[in-house]
């Protein structure tokens, strides 16, 4: 099941990944800036990025979808 990565709060989001990139749990997938403070939005699990919703730096609301990743298959 794909993992939806959402903005934790309102601000300006800049993606750090592209479709096809592999990420590990905790890797930053985007940066969010609000009120002159920056924070990383991180991958909730390991996997491959299948969709990047934010194109460049965009204003988002808390809970807006930022990226979608397909979890890594363990075998």
């Amino acid at each position: 099941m794909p993992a939806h990565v959402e903005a934790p709060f309102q601000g300006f989001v800049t993606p750090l990944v592209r479709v096809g990139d592999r990420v590990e749990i905790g890797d930053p997938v985007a940066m969010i800036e609000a009120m002159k403070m920056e924070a990383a939005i991180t991958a909730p699990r390991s996997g491959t990025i299948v969709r990047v919703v934010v194109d460049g730096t965009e204003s988002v609301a808390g809970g807006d979808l930022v990226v979608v990743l397909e979890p890594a298959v363990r075998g």
Side-chain angles (χ1 to χ4, degrees):
M1 170 175 248
H4 294 183
V5 182
E6 301 171 348
F9 48 83
Q10 181 177 354
F12 290 92
V13 169
T14 303
L16 302 175
V17 294
R18 293 183 289 185
V19 172
D21 286 353
R22 294 215 13 91
V23 295
E24 297 296 324
I25 189 169
D27 283 352
V29 296
M31 293 298 293
I32 187 166
E33 179 186 342
M35 298 172 35
K36 304 290 182 198
M37 296 181 68
E38 276 191 346
I41 300 173
T42 59
R45 61 180 69 160
S46 299
T48 302
I49 302 297
V50 294
R51 182 175 174 209
V52 179
V53 178
V54 178
D55 185 28
T57 299
E58 290 185 19
S59 178
V60 299
D64 281 359
L65 183 62
V66 176
V67 300
V68 177
L69 67 93
E70 190 68 40
V73 177
R74 302 277 184 221

